[in-house]
Amino acid sequence: MLKLVLIIGLNLLLNAHLDSAYQLMCYFNNWAQYQSDVQGIKPDDIDPCLCTHLIYSFAGIWKNNITMTKKKALDDYKDFNNLKKRNNHLKTLLSLGCWNFGAAPFVTMVTTPESRQSFVTSVIKFLRKYGFDGLNLFWQYPGCHGSPPRDKHLFTVLIQEIRKAFEEEVSKNKKPRLLVTAAVDGAISTIKSGHEVPQLSQSLDYIQVMTYDLHGAWEGYTGENSPLYKSPTETGIKAFHNIKYIMDNWKSKGAAPEKLIVGFPAYGHTFILSDSSKTGIGAPSNRGGHPGPYTKKTGLWAYYEICTFLNNGATQVWNAAQQVPYAYHGNEWVGYDNIKSFHIKAQWLKNNSFGGAMIWAIDMDDFTGSFCGQGIFPLTSTLKKALKVHSASK
């Protein structure tokens, strides 16, 4: 009997250990601080115990060296990395690039061994100077969209050189090795043209897969931002625009599942319906929805802006086939995620042995708790609970 109790106890401990092995990586975008009429989240407002990794967005490249993009970034860096004083398990990364950054600085930088060496040297110096624990590369389209085909291989070479330099730096100063991760696209064409998957998986610590922006107003009809599964009505290439297919595709191409991080959006895509009587998935749309009062972007609302829409009488629908909700009111329509869909997706990634979740972005969650009536950071908190992320304060 005692032996049985010991075995059960050991199994419970083992399961607890395995459950806590998931990563929760949270992007922080500092855009709101530079808009005078928006009171946005600041680094000090972030709960440092919510995530395993916080990723500051974004840095840039100037003359093949990493550089800050805003003058106020210095204060942000200090406040951002001071969060580690309140959680000794927290890791901070600096993200470089983004979709608005353009390909040109990356294309120039990777062209020669000398320019890459200059970049890598500057990265190590920059990260150590400002207290970051690693780099997140956000070059979304190497080998396409303005980047020549050769950049597919040069992107791999760059990652390999960064990893080697990070390892060599450790042997010199005895500090913990800097992490290197990459945010990657989910489209089949992008993977084919831009990524040597097995080699990237070997050198990267984590691969953050952007499993969102899968449908939007650019298509001319309504669709979910980040569906777990395909819609029964989707055929052809549209049937690939779902989390399950994208993550399985990355895995089948040679990425280690434990390094693959599933993307979770704290925002939704909005549409103006062409006919307000047609409100389902695939309903005709003539443009993106009206800008939200805070994010001020056509066709996109942060989660807290969506909550305002829901609280003002919108009809909410659970899309059972794709395991995400959508809502409409008049001629406005939004496909989004909520606590229920985040929980379902988190259980799915655990069942499929992926490495964890990343959220874009923590500043789009209800960080004040005053919009959704679900507490502070409700979406991020849902992931923390589902993935059993542990934290320790000093």
Side-chain angles (χ1 to χ4, degrees):
M1 183 66 181
L2 179 60
K3 183 177 180 180
L4 178 62
V5 171
L6 287 173
I7 291 173
I8 292 173
L10 286 172
N11 284 335
L12 289 173
L13 286 172
L14 177 60
N15 288 334
H17 172 73
L18 292 175
D19 278 345
S20 65
Y22 299 103
Q23 310 304 319
L24 177 50
M25 302 182 169
C26 304
Y27 280 89
F28 167 74
N29 190 1
N30 66 349
W31 66 271
Q33 297 183 59
Y34 307 104
Q35 294 182 239
S36 59
D37 56 343
V38 176
Q39 186 176 355
I41 185 174
K42 296 178 175 60
D44 283 343
D45 299 322
I46 300 172
D47 179 351
C49 297
L50 275 178
C51 311
T52 60
H53 301 70
L54 284 172
I55 306 174
Y56 184 95
S57 309
F58 288 102
I61 299 175
W62 175 252
K63 294 183 178 180
N64 298 323
N65 280 237
I66 188 171
T67 182
M68 62 187 69
T69 56
K70 299 286 185 181
K71 291 182 179 179
K72 289 184 179 180
L74 278 175
D75 293 332
D76 282 354
Y77 292 169
K78 180 180 178 181
D79 293 340
F80 195 74
N81 285 304
N82 277 342
L83 292 170
K84 290 186 285 187
K85 295 179 180 179
R86 294 157 54 194
N87 177 6
N88 59 8
H89 286 185
L90 179 65
K91 300 294 183 183
T92 59
L93 284 77
L94 181 61
S95 187
L96 186 153
C98 92
W99 47 84
N100 294 326
F101 187 63
F106 281 114
V107 172
T108 302
M109 180 267 290
V110 299
T111 301
T112 68
E114 293 77 18
S115 56
R116 293 195 303 272
Q117 180 60 46
S118 176
F119 172 73
V120 174
T121 300
S122 75
V123 164
I124 293 174
K125 182 179 179 181
F126 198 95
L127 296 179
R128 292 302 190 194
K129 180 178 180 179
Y130 296 112
F132 289 96
D133 299 302
L135 178 73
N136 170 244
L137 277 172
F138 212 111
W139 187 4
Q140 195 167 355
Y141 302 116
C144 59
H145 295 280
S147 169
R150 69 185 181 193
D151 287 350
K152 175 179 182 177
H153 178 63
L154 289 178
F155 182 65
T156 301
V157 172
L158 175 65
I159 296 296
Q160 291 172 336
E161 291 176 349
I162 292 173
R163 177 62 179 257
K164 181 180 179 182
F166 283 3
E167 291 175 347
E168 290 176 348
E169 193 244 357
V170 169
S171 65
K172 295 177 183 177
N173 64 20
K174 308 302 180 183
K175 293 181 179 180
R177 178 178 63 81
L178 292 167
L179 301 171
V180 55
T181 74
V184 299
D185 198 70
I188 300 172
S189 59
T190 304
I191 297 172
K192 183 177 180 180
S193 63
H195 300 302
E196 297 173 338
V197 178
Q199 295 92 328
L200 289 177
S201 180
Q202 185 175 9
S203 296
L204 289 167
D205 290 296
Y206 296 104
I207 302 170
Q208 293 110 336
V209 186
M210 293 179 279
T211 46
Y212 40 73
D213 297 333
L214 302 181
H215 294 285
W218 55 86
E219 293 177 317
Y221 56 87
T222 60
E224 299 283 10
N225 180 29
S226 180
L228 180 54
Y229 304 113
K230 80 176 190 71
S231 169
T233 61
E234 289 179 329
T235 58
I237 195 170
K238 295 301 181 184
F240 305 150
H241 292 187
N242 58 84
I243 293 174
K244 181 184 185 303
Y245 184 87
I246 291 170
M247 297 306 298
D248 286 348
N249 192 35
W250 269 94
K251 185 166 62 174
S252 69
K253 292 288 192 296
E258 67 274 11
K259 291 188 176 184
L260 288 171
I261 306 298
V262 182
F264 285 68
Y267 66 93
H269 278 295
T270 63
F271 305 75
I272 298 297
L273 298 171
S274 300
D275 181 347
S276 59
S277 68
K278 297 178 180 179
T279 58
I281 298 294
S285 165
N286 53 40
R287 64 185 186 277
H290 299 111
Y294 301 99
T295 53
K296 299 185 177 181
K297 293 183 179 181
T298 299
L300 184 148
W301 289 339
Y303 182 61
Y304 56 86
E305 292 172 322
I306 294 170
C307 285
T308 300
F309 181 64
L310 301 178
N311 293 336
N312 286 337
T315 300
Q316 302 175 55
V317 180
W318 178 252
N319 180 351
Q322 299 187 285
Q323 294 292 285
V324 281
Y326 65 86
Y328 59 90
H329 183 67
N331 66 349
E332 296 215 76
W333 195 101
V334 59
Y336 63 106
D337 272 272
N338 60 9
I339 287 176
K340 180 179 178 179
S341 65
F342 264 39
H343 180 77
I344 290 170
K345 291 178 181 181
Q347 295 302 318
W348 177 87
L349 80 82
K350 290 168 67 175
N351 293 340
N352 287 274
S353 302
F354 291 116
M358 68 94 160
I359 186 166
W360 180 272
I362 195 168
D363 46 278
M364 301 179 93
D365 200 353
D366 185 12
F367 58 89
T368 66
S370 60
F371 290 86
C372 303
Q374 300 165 339
I376 298 173
F377 296 107
L379 295 180
T380 313
S381 297
T382 296
L383 290 179
K384 177 183 178 179
K385 182 177 180 181
L387 299 178
K388 299 183 179 177
V389 170
H390 298 295
S391 59
S393 300
K394 287 187 176 181

